Amino acid sequence: SRRQRQMCIETGLILTFLEKRPGAKGYEIAEYIQKGAATTERYLRSLKDKELIEYKGSHKTGGYYKK
């Protein structure tokens, strides 16, 4: 479906971004892929479920990392 294709593109962008910016915050990722918070969270959750990324650190100071 179109939505799945779009998700593939966006998650690829997220992985590329995390290679350049390990420890990035959710809002930085959302800005980079130009999506809202809820959409970005959905993409991040999908990547975490596939064990491609992980969140390290506290809620306040932590960030996302590529596994």
Side-chain angles (χ1 to χ4, degrees), residues 10 29-36 40:
E10 307 299 350
I29 295 166
E31 270 175 30
Y32 179 74
I33 65 168
Q34 299 183 325
K35 297 289 176 199
T40 302

Side-chain angles (χ1 to χ4, degrees), residues 36-51:
T39 303
T40 302
E41 284 302 319
R42 190 169 62 245
Y43 293 152
L44 291 170
R45 192 166 39 251
S46 169
L47 288 166
K48 280 192 286 191
D49 289 347
K50 293 175 184 155
E51 299 192 354

Side-chain angles (χ1 to χ4, degrees), residues 15-16 20 29 39-41 48 53 58-59 61 63:
L15 292 173
T16 302
K20 292 185 281 196
I29 295 166
T39 303
T40 302
E41 284 302 319
K48 280 192 286 191
I53 65 168
S58 74
H59 182 67
T61 62

Side-chain angles (χ1 to χ4, degrees), residues 4 21 38 51 65:
Q4 280 175 317
R21 291 283 312 279
E51 299 192 354
Y65 293 85

